[in-house]
Amino acid sequence: CLIKDFEARPSVTHLLEHPFIKQAHGKDVALSQQLADLIREQQEVGCRTRTRHRRINTRKTLIIERCPDDDLVNLEFLDEEIIISRLQKRYDELQVYTYVGDILIALNPFQNLSIYSPQFSKLYHGVKRADNPPHIFATADAAYQGMVTFCKDQCIIISGESGAGKTESTHLIVQHLTFLGKANNRTLREKILQVNPLVEAFGNACTAINDNSSRFGKYLEMKFTPTGAVIGAKISEYLLEKSRVIKQAQGEKNFHIFYYIYAGLYHQSKLKTYRLPERTPPRYIDSQQCKVMQDIVSSKLYKEQFDAIQECFRNIGFTEEEVTSVYQILSGILNTGNIEFTAITSHHHTDKSEVPNSEALESAASLLSIGSEELQEALTSQCVVTRGETIIRTNTVDKAADVRDAMSKALYGRLFSWIVNRINSLLQPDINICAAESCMNVGILDIFGFENFKKNSFEQLCINIANEQIQFYFNQHIFALEQMEYQSEGVDASLVEYEDNRPILDMFLQKPMGLLSLMDEESRFPQATDQTLVDKFEDNLRCKYFWIPKCLDLCFGIQHYAGKVMYNVNGFLEKNRDTLPADIVLVLRTSENKLLQQLFSSPLTKTGNLATSRARITAASRSLPPQLGSGRSKVDTMEMMRHPEETTSMRRQTVASYFRYSLMDLLSKMVVGQPHFVRCIRPNDDRQALRFCTERVMVQLRYTGILETVNIRRQGYSHRIQFEEFVNRYYYLAFRAHQIPETSKENAAAILERAKLQGTVLGKTKVFLKYYHVEQLNLLLREVIARVVVFQAYVKGWLGARRYQKVKDKRNRGAIIIQSAWRGYVARQNLKQIKEREEAAIRIQSVCLDEDQSGHINLPSPSPPILGASQWRTREGAKRGWREEGRGRRSGISSSGSLKGCPHLAHGASQSPAHLV
């Protein structure tokens, strides 16, 4: 009821179902009396404690305080009992995270905790790790800061048993990295956050011990600019458990997406559109243990998840046409599973099969946009090319059912690969923002956990081998490589004994006598059986980690790093072959659905995934027989790809070979970056909150080597840096910025002395640091750089002000020059006009004087020119002279009429033209 968000607040119905409310039923009177007594007692005692601000901050649900038990390395006495007691105490206090040096232990709380809000993200942003309690956000921040500081790729490896919380830990790390990366647009951040839910809907399923178990390996690479801004993401998927599509063990379910799409289409009334039955569930999702259709119809979770998946498709960038094609293929897979076969006897007494009820066949063909007759023919017969002749063989009922299931597995596996490739293309970084070679990555490994069921098959073997490889990588990085460098560098450090699982890995992966190689060899013999496979294992695998039980048939045991596991060999060879008849491929390539065409026209990679782009002619025909490749270069590519000779002569890849290449590819990505380890622990097998099973946790701590890890983190040096790299990185701490010191041992010692670090060791070529030394050095370096940045800001401000003043003065001088030139120009234009008017006036006066001499004066009256004061006086004097002469003529004064007769004019004639005017 205290949730602020109204939409997220529980309803009354949910509250009434809460255990706290249920246990209070029928105890109203007693509880009311107890509450009244408690209130009265508190009122009498009074409030003895006061908060800092005299009020409770309801936003902080958990106390953020450091505890001496945060890091097991700090324990004074160290043994298994003390570690277990510390972990149990912290778990009871809802402190589910604990450090072992720089390694994080995460106990699954099996409940929602309010420690993953944006407020907590701000707490774990660029601060010293010891300032806050252990948290998954601290590991994400350490990887992010390491990437930005050292300009080096990082890798976060999350390991643990199935149900230990690896998938949820991956979500939280991605959430915090997107917060730290501060994407330039909100859309990119939302896309990255919605990648995991979309991929997990297609790749996760409910198992006997985990409701959201990852049935594939996922390596998510988040891409950043050199400054730390997230710009994209890429997913690499490995070893999808395709066999789950056609069959599930007791108490398990198919992939989530089948239930989501069924519920979503049911509530949208679109089941008929996709040819899905409304009452009886399809065979691939039917279960005897539960009522599937009742769950699909009544469960709100499935419908909500379907709506969320549709939103993910839209936000990431899938088109409506692509989403519709995905739904059609999924519905086609469900309808394909309903196709049944019956045996018929021909005249030649050969067992043949046919489809008695064509409803499911036609529905599947319609949804896949292929012909129903062609599909039936591909299911019930096969073309074999022998010595240039094509032979059609009929399939038995069992063989036809195997072909049907192989088709369904191939459809789902390739569709899953296409979705991953499509996500990668939509989230790839923009080359205009950051070049591909300058991008930095933070990789997150979320892989299926170690599994040990009552019945373990081929899938559990592959999963556990992958976990053996992850454990080997952990041992190599934490123990083996570290101790080897102690010896080579002459560092005095006590060696820690640990359990090396290299012999087990060699038994699995070595050639040609490893378990996977022997299984591949046996898979190539058509007459081989699961019993011959067991016999081959018994004859060639002679080591203490492998044994054959006497009382069980078709079984063998393996002593894994996590314990003994018994495997049932029934179906091993068929699952390893994973045969898909070429006739099915050719029929699906003729589909009118563009997406389906693309799925079966693109080649597969060495890891068994769909290639990212459509293959060229050479790539597309790489799997064709030699007789098609020679002398037929002009043959059309699609014709070559559809030729029935593409069937039996080629050497097919097995699941074991795909698995081997997948491990190699995964390790090649992991070794590039600086690793950060998160060890997830499952506190109990019942998935109950606040229940800590000591024996269960003890087993996990033993096989993960936590006790040995505590010892080596306490005694050893997890960070080993070359002198050159160390001096170049930290010389600011002891030298001036403009100095470039030599990369020598003495300068490295000077830096360590100036930083006042204790417990460091200088080897022959490297500086050996504890796990906490690097954090201290980075904080010191960050402080120095911050001071440099402040100083640079002041200097740049002063230089900017000085530059501005110079520019301002220059502009003022320029303005004065422009004003001076303009005024000179205006004055010259005025003078020019005055001269023109003076010339005009002189011409007018000369004309007037000429007419005056001829006997009459006819002066025009133009507009008077603009004259100065002296010019004005001269003109007025001339006028007076003319008036006086006129008066003399009227008074009888005679004159010769010549120019000399007028004293004024005679005087004026000797003057300048201006005076004459």
Side-chain angles (χ1 to χ4, degrees):
C1 292
L2 298 178
I3 296 177
K4 303 298 182 187
D5 188 1
F6 177 78
E7 295 181 355
R9 189 177 301 169
S11 63
V12 177
T13 306
H14 290 97
L15 289 177
L16 292 177
E17 295 296 326
H18 196 277
F20 180 79
I21 302 298
K22 281 187 174 181
Q23 69 180 1
H25 183 68
K27 303 178 182 178
D28 301 349
V29 178
L31 290 176
S32 299
Q33 184 63 37
Q34 291 180 16
L35 285 174
D37 296 341
L38 182 62
I39 293 173
R40 183 172 59 256
E41 181 182 350
Q42 290 294 325
Q43 289 176 345
E44 293 176 357
V45 175
C47 185
R48 298 179 180 178
T49 60
R50 308 175 82 178
T51 60
R52 181 178 178 182
H53 300 287
R54 298 187 181 182
R55 63 185 178 89
I56 298 177
N57 187 352
T58 57
R59 293 186 178 182
K60 293 185 179 180
T61 56
L62 293 180
I63 301 175
I64 305 302
E65 294 180 354
R66 290 184 62 245
C67 177
D69 297 340
D70 287 348
D71 195 340
L72 297 180
V73 175
N74 298 328
L75 296 178
E76 184 176 358
F77 300 101
L78 188 64
D79 56 21
E80 290 182 344
E81 288 74 15
I82 293 179
I83 292 178
I84 286 291
S85 63
R86 297 293 185 181
L87 291 177
Q88 184 172 7
K89 179 183 177 183
R90 293 177 60 82
Y91 187 73
D92 293 339
E93 297 172 354
L94 285 181
Q95 296 289 334
V96 296
Y97 297 112
T98 307
Y99 290 131
V100 179
D102 52 352
I103 301 168
L104 182 71
I105 296 178
L107 290 166
N108 193 342
F110 292 114
Q111 61 177 314
N112 294 324
L113 300 180
S114 56
I115 58 174
Y116 307 111
S117 62
Q119 288 78 10
F120 280 85
S121 294
K122 295 177 182 178
L123 289 176
Y124 293 90
H125 182 195
V127 298
K128 190 176 180 180
R129 192 184 61 168
D131 292 344
N132 293 316
H135 202 287
I136 191 72
F137 287 171
T139 301
D141 183 65
Y144 179 80
Q145 300 300 334
M147 177 197 67
V148 175
T149 304
F150 305 141
C151 296
K152 184 178 180 181
D153 292 346
Q154 308 289 309
C155 176
I156 302 176
I157 300 166
I158 307 172
S159 59
E161 288 188 357
S162 180
K166 299 183 298 300
T167 299
E168 188 62 29
S169 297
T170 302
H171 291 176
L172 297 172
I173 289 176
V174 172
Q175 171 189 330
H176 194 57
L177 286 175
T178 53
F179 169 80
L180 297 174
K182 293 182 177 63
N184 294 329
N185 54 62
R186 186 179 179 182
T187 305
L188 176 61
R189 181 178 178 181
E190 291 178 352
K191 286 181 179 181
I192 295 175
L193 290 175
Q194 290 181 343
V195 163
N196 277 329
L198 178 60
V199 175
E200 288 167 10
F202 285 84
N204 288 23
C206 177
T207 65
I209 59 178
N210 188 359
D211 290 340
N212 189 32
S213 177
S214 298
R215 310 317 298 167
F216 72 108
K218 176 180 62 181
Y219 189 75
L220 174 62
E221 295 175 275
M222 296 187 62
K223 299 184 178 297
F224 298 84
T225 63
T227 58
V230 60
I231 56 174
K234 180 183 178 182
I235 300 178
S236 300
E237 50 98 3
Y238 304 99
L239 299 170
L240 177 70
E241 189 186 8
K242 296 184 294 183
S243 61
R244 181 170 292 271
V245 175
I246 63 172
K247 187 178 181 181
Q248 305 88 42
Q250 185 177 0
E252 298 189 357
K253 293 184 179 180
N254 211 320
F255 291 103
H256 292 325
I257 188 61
F258 288 113
Y259 305 96
Y260 296 165
I261 187 177
Y262 219 112
L265 296 178
Y266 172 83
H267 289 285
Q268 292 180 359
S269 301
K270 292 184 179 180
L271 288 179
K272 292 184 178 179
T273 305
Y274 290 91
R275 308 290 187 95
L276 294 174
E278 295 184 4
R279 296 183 179 180
T280 58
R283 189 174 65 88
Y284 282 162
I285 63 173
D286 194 8
S287 176
Q288 299 178 354
Q289 288 76 29
C290 60
K291 299 180 180 180
V292 178
M293 291 306 299
Q294 183 177 352
D295 292 343
I296 290 175
V297 172
S298 60
S299 176
K300 294 183 179 179
L301 175 64
Y302 288 157
K303 181 182 181 300
E304 292 173 355
Q305 290 295 332
F306 177 76
D307 296 338
I309 293 304
Q310 284 192 307
E311 187 69 19
C312 289
F313 274 128
R314 284 192 295 268
N315 291 340
I316 293 176
F318 285 79
T319 63
E320 291 293 335
E321 182 182 0
E322 292 172 340
V323 176
T324 302
S325 297
V326 170
Y327 292 164
Q328 288 177 344
I329 293 175
L330 292 174
S331 302
I333 292 173
L334 293 177
N335 279 278
T336 301
N338 289 338
I339 300 176
E340 296 180 353
F341 304 94
T342 57
I344 59 175
T345 304
S346 66
H347 298 289
H348 302 285
H349 304 285
T350 303
D351 290 337
K352 296 175 61 177
S353 59
E354 66 175 1
V355 180
N357 187 358
S358 62
E359 181 181 358
L361 177 70
E362 293 177 354
S363 298
S366 174
L367 289 166
L368 299 177
S369 301
I370 57 178
S372 59
E373 295 181 357
E374 289 80 0
L375 178 59
Q376 180 176 355
E377 183 179 356
L379 292 173
T380 57
S381 63
Q382 59 176 329
C383 294
V384 180
V385 178
T386 304
R387 297 179 181 179
E389 296 183 0
T390 302
I391 301 175
I392 299 178
R393 294 178 179 175
T394 58
N395 293 333
T396 63
V397 173
D398 293 338
K399 180 63 176 178
D402 291 340
V403 173
R404 173 201 63 198
D405 293 340
M407 171 181 163
S408 300
K409 291 191 295 182
L411 280 169
Y412 193 81
R414 295 186 182 226
L415 177 63
F416 183 72
S417 289
W418 177 84
I419 291 174
V420 171
N421 294 339
R422 183 65 176 144
I423 290 174
N424 292 338
S425 65
L426 293 171
L427 294 185
Q428 63 182 354
D430 187 356
I431 58 176
N432 297 324
I433 299 176
C434 183
E437 59 273 6
S438 61
C439 289
M440 293 185 295
N441 302 328
V442 175
I444 307 163
L445 175 63
D446 176 22
I447 198 167
F448 20 55
F450 188 87
E451 294 182 347
N452 187 3
F453 300 145
K454 293 182 179 179
K455 182 179 180 181
N456 301 288
S457 186
F458 180 74
E459 294 79 17
Q460 279 68 47
L461 178 65
C462 294
I463 288 172
N464 293 340
I465 293 176
N467 280 271
E468 287 279 0
Q469 185 69 71
I470 300 301
Q471 179 66 20
F472 175 75
Y473 177 79
F474 177 82
N475 290 340
Q476 287 293 303
H477 185 81
I478 300 299
F479 301 108
L481 297 178
E482 188 168 326
Q483 297 187 13
M484 286 173 59
E485 290 204 32
Y486 294 159
Q487 298 176 0
S488 62
E489 291 285 328
V491 175
D492 184 15
S494 58
L495 301 181
V496 176
E497 295 183 0
Y498 65 96
E499 188 69 28
D500 188 5
N501 65 335
R502 178 188 287 274
I504 306 177
L505 273 181
D506 291 341
M507 182 194 71
F508 286 128
L509 303 177
Q510 70 180 355
K511 292 183 178 181
M513 303 306 294
L515 187 144
L516 294 182
S517 297
L518 293 173
M519 185 163 51
D520 280 348
E521 182 181 346
E522 195 70 10
S523 299
R524 297 190 187 100
F525 296 109
Q527 304 302 324
T529 63
D530 294 328
Q531 183 60 52
T532 61
L533 177 64
V534 174
D535 296 339
K536 191 165 212 169
F537 286 165
E538 186 175 10
D539 295 338
N540 295 277
L541 299 177
R542 300 183 181 276
C543 62
K544 63 179 182 179
Y545 305 104
F546 176 89
W547 73 92
I548 299 291
K550 297 181 180 180
C551 58
L552 297 176
D553 295 332
L554 293 179
C555 289
F556 67 89
I558 298 291
Q559 177 65 52
H560 286 282
Y561 77 100
K564 296 180 180 180
V565 180
M566 193 68 63
Y567 295 98
N568 191 317
V569 189
N570 187 18
F572 260 46
L573 289 179
E574 191 60 34
K575 291 179 180 179
N576 186 46
R577 292 183 183 121
D578 195 24
T579 305
L580 178 64
D583 304 85
I584 294 292
V585 176
L586 303 183
V587 170
L588 294 175
R589 285 176 180 172
T590 62
S591 171
E592 297 178 0
N593 188 322
K594 295 181 180 179
L595 175 56
L596 191 56
Q597 275 188 13
Q598 182 181 353
L599 296 184
F600 286 88
S601 298
S602 299
L604 298 180
T605 62
K606 288 186 176 182
T607 59
N609 301 328
L610 201 67
T612 54
S613 60
R614 182 170 180 174
R616 299 178 181 178
I617 294 177
T618 55
S621 60
R622 187 174 300 154
S623 59
L624 296 178
Q627 60 267 30
L628 289 181
S630 59
R632 299 186 61 179
S633 59
K634 296 183 180 180
V635 178
D636 181 71
T637 305
M638 291 304 297
E639 179 185 351
M640 188 187 304
M641 293 166 63
R642 293 173 183 170
H643 201 282
E645 288 182 340
E646 191 195 4
T647 51
T648 58
S649 60
M650 62 181 178
R651 180 177 177 180
R652 298 181 182 276
Q653 293 288 340
T654 61
V655 175
S657 62
Y658 287 144
F659 176 72
R660 190 189 302 272
Y661 281 115
S662 297
L663 284 182
M664 293 170 57
D665 184 67
L666 179 60
L667 285 177
S668 66
K669 288 182 171 66
M670 290 167 52
V671 298
V672 173
Q674 176 69 26
H676 303 262
F677 294 99
V678 178
R679 305 294 258 178
C680 295
I681 302 295
R682 182 181 178 133
N684 61 77
D685 291 334
D686 302 325
R687 290 176 282 183
Q688 294 184 6
L690 296 178
R691 184 187 172 196
F692 189 92
C693 181
T694 305
E695 294 79 10
R696 194 73 182 82
V697 176
M698 179 70 76
V699 171
Q700 297 175 71
L701 293 181
R702 283 175 179 169
Y703 72 66
T704 54
I706 294 298
L707 183 62
E708 293 82 1
T709 304
V710 174
N711 282 326
I712 199 167
R713 278 294 176 260
R714 172 184 287 182
Q715 303 170 12
Y717 305 91
S718 59
H719 293 271
R720 304 166 295 278
I721 308 174
Q722 295 279 352
F723 288 149
E724 180 180 1
E725 182 181 356
F726 182 81
V727 173
N728 290 335
R729 186 187 299 172
Y730 298 112
Y731 78 91
Y732 287 105
L733 301 179
F735 300 91
R736 295 185 180 276
H738 65 275
Q739 295 178 344
I740 303 179
E742 296 181 358
T743 56
S744 61
K745 184 176 182 179
E746 291 74 16
N747 289 334
I751 295 173
L752 293 174
E753 183 180 358
R754 186 64 179 269
K756 299 180 181 179
L757 296 182
Q758 297 180 355
T760 61
V761 175
L762 295 176
K764 298 177 181 178
T765 61
K766 294 182 178 180
V767 179
F768 287 77
L769 305 172
K770 299 282 188 181
Y771 65 92
Y772 50 83
H773 286 154
V774 173
E775 184 181 23
Q776 295 175 4
L777 285 171
N778 291 339
L779 290 175
L780 292 174
L781 182 63
R782 194 179 305 167
E783 292 176 359
V784 172
I785 293 177
R787 290 196 294 266
V788 171
V789 170
V790 172
F791 179 75
Q792 288 178 344
Y794 277 103
V795 172
K796 289 179 180 179
W798 178 78
L799 291 175
R802 184 179 178 185
R803 191 182 304 112
Y804 170 75
Q805 189 63 38
K806 289 182 178 179
V807 172
K808 183 178 180 181
D809 295 342
K810 185 177 181 180
R811 288 183 177 181
N812 290 338
R813 292 194 299 270
I816 293 173
I817 293 173
I818 293 173
Q819 290 175 352
S820 176
W822 174 253
R823 288 170 180 167
Y825 170 77
V826 172
R828 287 190 295 273
Q829 292 297 319
N830 291 336
L831 179 60
K832 183 178 179 181
Q833 291 181 2
I834 291 172
K835 288 183 178 180
E836 290 176 354
R837 291 182 179 182
E838 286 179 352
E839 292 175 359
I842 292 173
R843 291 193 185 97
I844 294 172
Q845 289 174 354
S846 63
V847 171
C848 292
L849 292 177
D850 290 341
E851 291 181 355
D852 184 38
Q853 291 177 358
S854 62
H856 48 265
I857 300 175
N858 186 14
L859 292 175
S861 58
S863 59
I866 301 174
L867 303 177
S870 60
Q871 294 173 332
W872 178 262
R873 287 193 299 271
T874 304
R875 191 182 66 173
E876 291 300 318
K879 287 182 179 180
R880 285 196 301 272
W882 292 337
R883 288 195 295 269
E884 290 176 0
E885 182 180 0
R887 284 194 300 270
R889 288 178 180 177
R890 287 193 297 270
S891 61
I893 301 174
S894 61
S895 173
S896 61
S898 63
L899 185 58
K900 294 180 180 179
C902 180
H904 297 285
L905 292 177
H907 177 71
S910 63
Q911 303 297 322
S912 63
H915 291 167
L916 182 61
V917 174

